[in-house]
Amino acid sequence: MTPNPLEELTVEQLRARTSMKWRARPPDVLPLWVAEMDVKLAPTVADALHRAVDIGDTGYPYGTAFAEAVSEFASRRWQWHTVEVDHTAIVPDVMLGVVEMLRLVTERGNTVVVNSPVYPPFYAFVSHDGRRVIEAPLGWDGRIDLGVLEETFARARAAAGPSGGVAYLLCNPHNPTGSVHTRDELSGVADRARRFGVRVVSDEIHGPLVLPGARFTPYLSVPGAEDALALTSATKAWNLCGVKAALAIAGPEAVGDLRRMPEEVSHGPSHLGAIAHAAAFRSADDWLDALLRGLDANRTLLDELVAELLPGVSYQRPQGTYLAWLDCRDLGFGEQAAEGPAVVSDLSGPARFFLDQARVALTSGHAFGSGGAGHVRVNFATSQAILREALSRMGQALQHRGPGC
């Protein structure tokens, strides 16, 4: 059996890294914030990159190997057998792909609906490209509230008029709550999007990271989603943030839209990125399965540590991703939601407290839009030793917290 990738590296080895997670904070800080995993590369991915480097294969990306690998993976893992290679396009990464997909179905000044709290770049990238973000807040359970979504679609459509563009940027699975949308929920989304003339763009970067007890449903596999667009990548599941590439996939009624994407967009991905991502989707299932077992064990450990060490903090067990959404509102930090787009390094409320007092870096909930204030997002894709130490530090900081802090 493939060993747990999360238990292969020591803190000393991790601190030798030069990427954001381990270098953006001082050396005494344990980083459980930005979405990098504390793992080595999957061996088949490392081999593919080594082969390319050895022969100097570092030119411009070309061919359909990435799309073919995604199609095979989707059929093998999700029983989604209709990913047509000629209905895809390579893009630089998921968020730049989101921007390009939204440009195909909306104009500047049009509305894009998101489910708050949600990944902060949804706000930043969309608003910086001249679209107006409006929120359809998640329900109390951290899931899509179809009633709220319908009301929001209706308001957006009324404001846009019959010919104005309205899009819905779906996070599937959802970041930060870790909710994995069910087929019934996504069918409800598709029904409402059709009725109100809303075009759906689904960010499915965490799709391979669904933990035991849940099942991933690609949005384009749901009846009614034929005019939608989706994006996927190996970035999160195989820790390839620094080797960028992503794949845009069109539903059968959106193929014409995807073909309008400027050709130069496909020149942006890294050729090494495309090689690495193709190798991940095609040949790294065993490594992914070992990772998922490790994440499931860490999820259970986190359940225990939060209950034992963080009185006043609650959270709903994530079904997917390696992110946990901790509700710290009862701790009384009085945090307010961010005004305008925020970045993941912005800190406020409990995240600021845990960094200053516990030397643990978390992602501040206020950056995730309405409903995020008073929360922190924890990246639990690390070793159990680091996870225990971080939660212990946080618990001790709460014990010593003085009045007015």
Side-chain angles (χ1 to χ4, degrees):
M1 181 179 291
T2 303
N4 182 355
L6 297 166
E7 299 293 342
E8 293 187 308
L9 295 169
T10 66
V11 173
E12 291 72 25
Q13 289 172 311
L14 291 165
R15 291 202 186 282
R17 293 183 165 184
T18 59
S19 60
M20 182 182 292
K21 183 179 181 183
W22 284 92
R23 288 299 177 101
R25 302 294 184 201
D28 64 326
V29 171
L30 288 178
L32 303 185
W33 64 295
V34 72
E36 294 181 27
M37 293 193 292
D38 293 340
V39 295
K40 296 180 180 179
L41 280 179
T44 57
V45 175
D47 289 346
L49 288 172
H50 283 302
R51 283 196 300 273
V53 171
D54 286 345
I55 65 172
D57 188 9
T58 54
Y60 294 108
Y62 179 77
T64 59
F66 183 8
E68 291 166 10
V70 169
S71 179
E72 294 165 8
F73 183 89
S75 180
R76 187 169 68 244
R77 303 282 292 210
W78 302 325
Q79 289 69 57
W80 181 26
H81 306 298
T82 56
V83 180
E84 301 288 345
V85 169
D86 61 355
H87 293 181
T88 70
I90 190 171
V91 292
D93 61 31
V94 165
M95 280 312 305
L96 291 176
V98 163
V99 170
E100 294 297 336
M101 298 306 100
L102 289 174
R103 286 176 177 173
L104 297 176
V105 299
T106 64
E107 302 288 340
R108 292 183 68 85
N110 285 170
T111 294
V112 177
V113 176
V114 302
N115 295 124
S116 59
V118 73
Y119 183 50
F122 276 23
Y123 296 92
F125 278 70
V126 172
S127 60
H128 291 164
D129 200 48
R131 275 69 177 167
R132 185 171 68 94
V133 178
I134 64 171
E135 298 176 328
L138 298 173
W140 62 268
D141 53 358
R143 308 192 70 85
I144 296 172
D145 185 322
L146 291 174
V148 169
L149 189 67
E150 180 167 341
E151 293 170 5
T152 308
F153 282 178
R155 284 191 289 109
R157 171 51 60 211
S163 59
V166 178
Y168 171 44
L169 181 50
L170 172 66
C171 195
N172 178 36
H174 195 84
N175 174 4
T177 64
S179 299
V180 176
H181 310 309
T182 66
R183 178 167 291 274
D184 285 347
E185 287 171 329
L186 295 175
S187 295
V189 168
D191 171 70
R192 287 156 177 81
R194 283 284 186 176
R195 282 196 281 124
F196 290 98
V198 173
R199 300 295 298 276
V200 178
V201 175
S202 185
D203 172 357
E204 303 189 344
I205 197 169
H206 289 281
L209 291 169
V210 171
L211 302 176
R215 181 179 179 83
F216 175 65
T217 301
Y219 182 70
L220 294 181
S221 72
V222 173
E226 292 82 6
D227 66 346
L229 297 150
L231 294 120
T232 192
S233 170
T235 300
K236 300 307 180 192
W238 288 273
N239 207 45
L240 296 174
C241 315
V243 195
K244 286 183 177 291
L247 194 72
I249 308 172
E253 295 175 17
V255 174
D257 294 314
L258 187 60
R259 288 177 178 159
R260 290 189 290 106
M261 187 179 76
E263 180 187 358
E264 58 268 22
V265 174
S266 66
H267 299 169
S270 159
H271 181 42
L272 290 178
I275 289 170
H277 288 242
F281 279 109
R282 177 164 283 148
S283 62
D285 284 42
D286 289 347
W287 186 92
L288 177 62
D289 288 337
L291 172 71
L292 293 173
R293 289 191 294 270
L295 290 174
D296 187 30
N298 281 11
R299 176 176 62 168
T300 298
L301 176 61
L302 188 62
D303 293 346
E304 298 167 357
L305 294 174
V306 170
E308 176 188 353
L309 300 174
L310 302 182
V313 175
S314 62
Y315 88 110
Q316 291 174 328
R317 201 168 197 250
Q319 297 176 303
T321 78
Y322 47 78
L323 307 168
W325 187 235
L326 271 58
D327 185 347
C328 304
R329 287 175 293 179
D330 286 349
L331 300 180
F333 287 101
E335 181 183 28
Q336 299 297 316
E339 294 184 6
V343 295
V344 294
S345 58
D346 290 343
L347 289 181
S348 180
R352 170 57 63 187
F353 171 80
F354 287 124
L355 178 63
D356 292 344
Q357 303 302 319
R359 309 308 286 158
V360 175
L362 308 170
T363 307
S364 186
H366 81 294
F368 292 77
S370 298
H375 293 72
V376 293
R377 192 189 70 178
V378 177
N379 173 354
F380 59 90
T382 189
S383 70
Q384 293 207 350
I386 290 174
L387 196 59
R388 287 181 187 277
E389 172 64 19
L391 272 289
S392 177
R393 290 186 188 187
M394 292 165 64
Q396 291 172 14
L398 288 178
Q399 286 181 0
H400 293 102
R401 183 184 178 205
C405 292

